[in-house]
Amino acid sequence: MIAGAGPGSRNFFVGLLKTATSLSHLTQIHAQVVIHGLQYDLAIVTKLTHRLSDFKAIRKARSLFLTIPNPDLFLFNVLVKGFSNNESPLSSISLYTHLRNKTILTPDEFTYAFAISAASGFKDAKYGILLHSHSIIDGFASNLFVGSALVDMYSKFLQFELAQKVFDEMSVRDTVLWNTMISGLAKNCCYFDSVRLFVDMVSSGTPFDSRTLAVVLPAVAELHELQVGMGIQCLAMKVGLDSDVYVLTGLVSLYSKCGEIDRARLLFGKISHPDLICYNAMIAAYTSNNDTESSLKLFKELLALGEKVNPSTVVGLIPVSSAFGHLQLTNSIQDFCLKFGILSDPSVSTALTTVYCRLNEIESARKLFDESPEKSLASWNAMISGYTQNGLTEMAITLFKEMISVLSPNPITITSILSACAQLGILSLGKWVHGLIKSKNLESNIFVKTALVDMYAKCGSIVEARELFDLIKQKNVVTWNAMISGYGLHGHGHEALELFNEMLHCGVAPTGVTFLSILYACSHAGLVKEGDNIFKSMVRDHGFEPLAEHYACMVDILGRAGQVDQALEFIRKMPVDPGVVVWGSLLGACMTHKNHSIARLASEKLFELDPGNTGYYVLLSNIYSADRNFPKAAMVRQVVKNRKLEKVPGCTLIEIGEDTHVFTASDRSHPRTMEIYAMLDKLAGKMREAGFHTETTTALHDVEEEEKELMVKVHSEKLAIAFGLIATEPGTEIRIIKNLRVCLDCHNATKLISKITGRVIVVRDANRFHHFKDGLCSCGDYW
């Protein structure tokens, strides 16, 4: 056999194979190898197998491998890796099994690393776990190469606890291992954990490289941690990585996501020869900061340079973060993608689906989703989230159930579906999702934990929400907000205040949402002084400029407490023009405290600002009715009729087992209607004996008093409660959800029903939760 470097030698052919630029070129070289009688030379066959797999000719690589009677371990490893890289995981694992069971060869660290990488291509981690066990038996438990592959594999299957365990048990950790762990967390939305691990890496003295910074910067950007990002930039400068194109590109994205577009532009200008990835980052930077003009200009500049744009370029151009007002641009981008054949790319169709959902163009979004030949997890997430954000919660849940039959959910999927559960208020569905979270090992994710706290609070289980909240060791501001908001919904103002103070004591900086949540809690608990102090502190101590919602909360706090005149004075002193939410809060207070003079003023403003909203007309009419001014109530109702405005019909949902039942006023469509009305009559009799009088002041004025009583008797929440009483075991808690604010009569009636029946009745209305027990309501008749 010729072993020299001349023409026709082993080294000559190996050199040729290294420089081959196409599959046909490889085929010609292979022919010459055969002519020169070197077709069984292991070095040449191994290099040829490697290059064939590089050119995606994995079947030819396999056929070549089979011609070798006694392949060595190196050749086995090359083909195991080739199958893995060519999305043939089963072939890769089969070859590993053959090597282990049918040859005298022993797998080494490279065999395991390549096979474990292949195992990432399956639907679950069972092959990876088996390979992990084999690697431990063969003495590779502490091997860095194998450890990095295992961390990557477990991260892809969202099994972060196992990934962390492998990482923690490595006696020595190199840069690659740290990078793999940081990257796995960042890619799966565990941004806080990713950044925390990077800090640990730096503290440990492990050298970091440009890849380390390139994988941690996106996590910092998603967290909008500008100061942390600036610290990373200083670190890059210190070790001479500040000019690295990947680091600069990451910094461009960071500064743009933190709203620092000028800094992003400056850094982009420092890149002497920006490649397509750099251009993509800057195009996305302009788009995310709502500068579509600059984004389109840079996109056209890229096309003028003759660059062939890729899906990432177009995704950066799509106005995902600022969709409002960009329907025409989105349509144009879709046409461009269709013309150049990239509409079917999962990232492109997902971004377009997201924008259409945000523009409430749900049909366009679903059409894109359905026509996508390859649905990625991100595309499923976009459609599920879109349904949830547009209030189409049942469709979101249906699509989610369809998705989990083909794909495992990630934290984004879970947070979207938990939001849908929270909107519907269906606890059994929320608990089912919680069970799924446990089975998929997603409990460690902070976003999932926070969504669970929010779901339990909004489904009426405030105790379970707090128990989950207390188990979270690393809470972010969103977690604190969810719990404070939950207490507000249930009227637990003092608990919300206590938690707010604890949050400040822990050094967590409040956001505008935090202040909105705590002011809301004060409003529903009658904490006027406390609310006023927090509002002043928000401006004075934390430098927040109040939004319309914050002003509305202060008006609500004063108004609910009966200080309607002070609420009006507060509005008149506002530094900005009061909008719909502010005047709406004042009108609601006028209804509670029957102040028809200020009600007229608030109504005039609301009719001017939002003439199509029926609710304000109904409120004003009810105020007049309560004041027994029936002619004016009739006039208001006539305006509604003349303008053909439609009032949102009241309905109430009750969940029995896994089935939901919806009732409307005077509903007789339920299969058990006879039993329901019989139960209502029975309750009415017992309530009369207890001295209950029907509250009819806000019922229609042009009917007899007896008829008014009958009308309020068959409100949807009463029907739902009656059904709950006949459909559940004695002593069982009854939970109902009302889409409107519960009326005074139903509130009083439910208190008495809870005493008569010995049942706890939990009612979620449009404003808050009411927990009725032994004739009392948790709101203290203050809602």
Side-chain angles (χ1 to χ4, degrees), residues 432-687:
W432 173 74
V433 176
H434 193 177
L436 189 67
I437 290 166
K438 290 177 181 177
S439 70
K440 299 292 182 182
N441 294 309
L442 292 171
E443 283 184 294
S444 60
N445 185 276
I446 185 62
F447 298 104
V448 171
K449 289 176 180 176
T450 301
L452 278 169
V453 169
D454 185 62
M455 182 276 293
Y456 275 111
K458 287 178 178 173
C459 287
S461 295
I462 194 68
V463 173
E464 286 184 77
R466 182 58 195 254
E467 286 172 355
L468 279 170
F469 175 85
D470 288 338
L471 289 172
I472 303 172
K473 292 178 181 177
Q474 297 288 341
K475 303 176 181 73
N476 61 21
V477 67
V478 183
T479 314
W480 289 93
N481 290 350
M483 196 64 232
I484 292 168
S485 174
Y487 275 137
L489 273 174
H490 289 264
H492 299 334
H494 292 287
E495 288 86 345
L497 273 173
E498 187 179 314
L499 201 63
F500 174 70
N501 290 326
E502 185 184 332
M503 173 186 169
L504 297 180
H505 181 71
C506 290
V508 179
T511 63
V513 175
T514 315
F515 285 110
L516 199 60
S517 299
I518 191 63
L519 288 171
Y520 178 92
C522 290
S523 171
H524 284 269
L527 302 174
V528 180
K529 183 180 177 182
E530 293 84 349
D532 184 54
N533 289 338
I534 287 169
F535 185 84
K536 288 173 181 173
S537 170
M538 168 184 164
V539 179
R540 182 187 64 240
D541 302 328
H542 298 277
F544 275 96
E545 194 66 36
L547 300 175
E549 291 81 5
H550 296 108
Y551 285 115
C553 268
M554 274 310 299
V555 171
D556 203 46
I557 286 172
L558 294 167
R560 282 179 189 274
Q563 300 177 23
V564 181
D565 291 319
Q566 291 90 326
L568 180 59
E569 187 63 23
F570 178 85
I571 292 173
R572 285 173 172 158
K573 289 180 178 178
M574 281 172 52
V576 295
D577 290 335
V580 169
V581 287
V582 173
W583 288 113
S585 294
L586 184 64
L587 183 58
C590 292
M591 169 64 195
T592 303
H593 299 286
K594 300 179 177 60
N595 190 320
H596 60 267
S597 60
I598 294 180
R600 277 200 303 272
L601 171 65
S603 299
E604 286 169 9
K605 296 289 185 181
L606 286 165
F607 298 158
E608 181 184 321
L609 292 168
D610 191 9
N613 192 318
T614 320
Y616 304 133
Y617 292 92
V618 173
L619 263 179
L620 184 60
S621 172
N622 286 344
I623 290 168
Y624 283 134
S625 293
D627 202 39
R628 308 197 72 79
N629 192 339
F630 299 128
K632 290 212 172 169
M635 284 173 61
V636 174
R637 291 182 187 273
Q638 191 60 46
V639 170
V640 173
K641 193 177 291 184
N642 292 343
R643 294 189 181 182
K644 296 181 179 178
L645 301 175
E646 291 186 6
K647 179 181 179 293
V648 177
C651 64
T652 302
L653 176 149
I654 183 170
E655 188 182 5
I656 304 293
E658 294 184 1
D659 298 321
T660 55
H661 304 259
V662 179
F663 293 89
T664 56
S666 307
D667 198 342
R668 288 187 175 272
S669 62
H670 197 276
R672 299 182 69 178
T673 290
M674 297 295 290
E675 295 173 78
I676 291 168
Y677 277 83
M679 173 58 74
L680 273 182
D681 289 337
K682 182 179 176 182
L683 287 171
K686 289 185 177 181
M687 288 161 69

Side-chain angles (χ1 to χ4, degrees), residues 62-119:
R62 180 180 178 277
S63 298
L64 179 64
F65 173 85
L66 293 175
T67 66
I68 305 301
N70 293 301
D72 63 2
L73 184 60
F74 192 15
L75 180 54
F76 263 103
N77 287 349
V78 166
L79 193 57
V80 169
K81 182 182 180 182
F83 280 131
S84 176
N85 291 345
N86 283 272
E87 299 176 0
S88 300
L90 188 58
S91 297
S92 185
I93 300 302
S94 297
L95 189 61
Y96 158 79
T97 305
H98 177 78
L99 163 68
R100 186 180 178 86
N101 299 332
K102 303 292 184 181
T103 74
I104 60 170
L105 301 172
T106 303
D108 63 7
E109 66 267 34
F110 299 106
T111 319
Y112 278 114
F114 299 148
I116 290 164
S117 178

Side-chain angles (χ1 to χ4, degrees), residues 200-220:
D200 290 345
M201 178 184 182
V202 175
S203 302
S204 72
T206 306
F208 56 85
D209 56 17
S210 60
R211 173 170 161 72
T212 319
L213 302 185
V215 297
V216 77
L217 279 169
V220 179

